[in-house]
Amino acid sequence: GTGEFLANPPVVIKNYQITNNVGIITAVEELWAQGGPPRFFSGVGMGVLRKSLANGVVLQTIGPTKSVLQAAWPQLQTNKVLLSFIAGSLTGSFAEVMTNPPDQVKTMTQA
């Protein structure tokens, strides 16, 4: 939650720049005029929700994913780093896809 909160202002500026086709200085000035400091934190609640859901998905699926991978490729049992990398990549990708709707809402509130 803290990381999402602290990283929110640059993301708001980036999304505003993309949506309005303006430079960084213009984006910051216009965002400030639209609401001051709170405007730079728009969408942070939805971002924290999305990140919490994504982390929950990863934590609940990484163990079973490792088990399936080890059963399918027994050689992974001796290479824990590769096993963790593959399982993390699969579960992380799945979590990002599953939590895309809250991320879309977040992005729309930031633009």
Side-chain angles (χ1 to χ4, degrees):
T2 303
E4 186 73 25
F5 178 80
L6 294 175
N8 205 65
V11 175
V12 170
I13 294 166
K14 174 200 66 144
N15 289 335
Y16 190 86
Q17 285 180 274
I18 292 169
T19 302
N20 297 288
N21 196 28
V22 297
I24 190 167
I25 300 299
T26 303
V28 170
E29 289 172 346
E30 291 179 6
L31 286 164
W32 189 272
Q34 290 177 9
R39 178 64 173 95
F40 292 89
F41 294 93
S42 59
V44 73
M46 197 55 67
V48 170
L49 172 65
R50 187 201 71 76
K51 199 54 101 173
S52 298
L53 291 171
N55 287 341
V57 168
V58 169
L59 290 173
Q60 292 299 314
T61 59
I62 198 157
T65 301
K66 283 182 176 182
S67 296
V68 168
L69 288 170
Q70 286 176 325
W73 293 287
Q75 63 271 26
L76 286 176
Q77 293 179 9
T78 60
N79 193 339
K80 299 295 182 187
V81 172
L82 183 59
L83 173 64
S84 295
F85 176 78
I86 294 170
S89 297
L90 291 172
T91 58
S93 297
F94 177 71
E96 290 300 312
V97 169
M98 295 305 296
T99 61
N100 192 31
D103 194 49
Q104 290 291 322
V105 172
K106 179 187 92 166
T107 301
M108 290 173 15
T109 62
Q110 292 174 340

